[in-house]
Amino acid sequence: MPEEIQEWPRSTRWIHAGFALAVTLLLFSELDMKAIWKKVGELPFRHLLFHMHMWIGMFAAVIVVAFWVQVFSNKNLRSHLFPYSGPYLDNVCTDIRGLASRKLPPSGMRGGVPGMVHGFGLAAVTGMALLGFIMFFLIPNYGVAAPMGFYQLPKKMHDFLSSFVWLYWWGHIGMATLHASKSPVILRIFRP
């Protein structure tokens, strides 16, 4: 008997779209940005990327809070992202057996390996958003002067987490593309 797959709530789909766009812009803007206090010999475009990264990061922090409100108010979404008990945990084991025999897990809010990986990604992006939020207020005048020494602690942690978010981003896009090529049903998350 096929398992019941729950559809994504409309609000979660919109938050996911905003989340995906913000994280993508943040990841790519950080590749070549330079803070204004490091202005000697730097192109103005790199400073523009720095400001863009700061303000999109603040928007992303709002999206992360909205996502967590969704998680705490929707038991099914919470169980999908953190499938550590009951049938959701059973789906993790089923998915691992299926992946070992080259079978992709079904889409939807059902927990399993995709849900657990989504939960890891949400945790990594939440950490980056929190650290970025702290860094935002440690930079005087929005980047025109060098921040105090304490700034280096959240910056180093933010940089460390960015490696995980890059891995998650590439893995998420790769798996979604593979999944969509085998079963276009997964693209329902982008339906308004």
Side-chain angles (χ1 to χ4, degrees):
M1 175 165 93
E3 64 180 289
E4 175 89 17
I5 304 295
Q6 295 183 16
E7 287 292 326
W8 296 99
R10 178 175 292 213
S11 56
T12 303
R13 287 186 247 150
W14 281 106
I15 291 172
H16 179 266
F19 202 56
L21 180 63
V23 168
T24 300
L25 289 171
L26 289 168
L27 286 172
F28 281 94
S29 67
E30 66 96 12
L31 291 177
D32 199 37
M33 67 182 199
K34 293 289 183 220
I36 289 178
W37 67 85
K38 300 175 183 176
K39 60 183 155 199
V40 178
E42 292 297 339
L43 297 172
F45 177 69
R46 289 181 171 162
H47 301 306
L48 176 66
L49 286 176
F50 179 78
H51 278 281
M52 185 178 90
H53 188 88
M54 283 195 326
W55 290 105
I56 292 173
M58 293 305 281
F59 175 69
V62 170
I63 293 174
V64 166
V65 169
F67 210 117
W68 279 107
V69 167
Q70 285 276 305
V71 169
F72 284 114
S73 64
N74 186 326
K75 181 184 183 305
N76 294 326
L77 180 60
R78 189 170 51 251
S79 296
H80 169 73
L81 294 170
F82 307 105
Y84 304 120
S85 65
Y88 294 97
L89 181 60
D90 292 341
N91 287 341
V92 171
C93 300
T94 302
D95 291 350
I96 291 171
R97 282 192 298 274
L99 288 169
S101 60
R102 303 181 77 165
K103 181 180 175 226
L104 292 173
S107 62
M109 285 195 323
R110 54 173 288 283
V113 170
M116 188 169 60
V117 172
H118 283 133
F120 292 153
L122 178 60
V125 171
T126 300
M128 284 198 66
L130 176 63
L131 292 164
F133 185 81
I134 291 168
M135 289 163 51
F136 181 86
F137 291 103
L138 292 176
I139 300 171
N141 301 321
Y142 306 110
V144 296
M148 59 186 98
F150 176 72
Y151 172 82
Q152 290 305 315
L153 179 64
K155 182 184 183 322
K156 295 290 182 198
M157 294 166 62
H158 187 77
D159 293 347
F160 176 73
L161 279 177
S162 75
S163 301
F164 293 103
V165 175
W166 269 111
L167 287 171
Y168 178 79
W169 188 87
W170 281 109
H172 191 64
I173 294 217
M175 289 307 296
T177 303
L178 175 65
H179 215 142
S181 72
K182 301 288 184 195
S183 170
V185 172
I186 196 171
L187 298 175
R188 287 183 302 202
I189 195 165
F190 295 109
R191 190 182 68 220

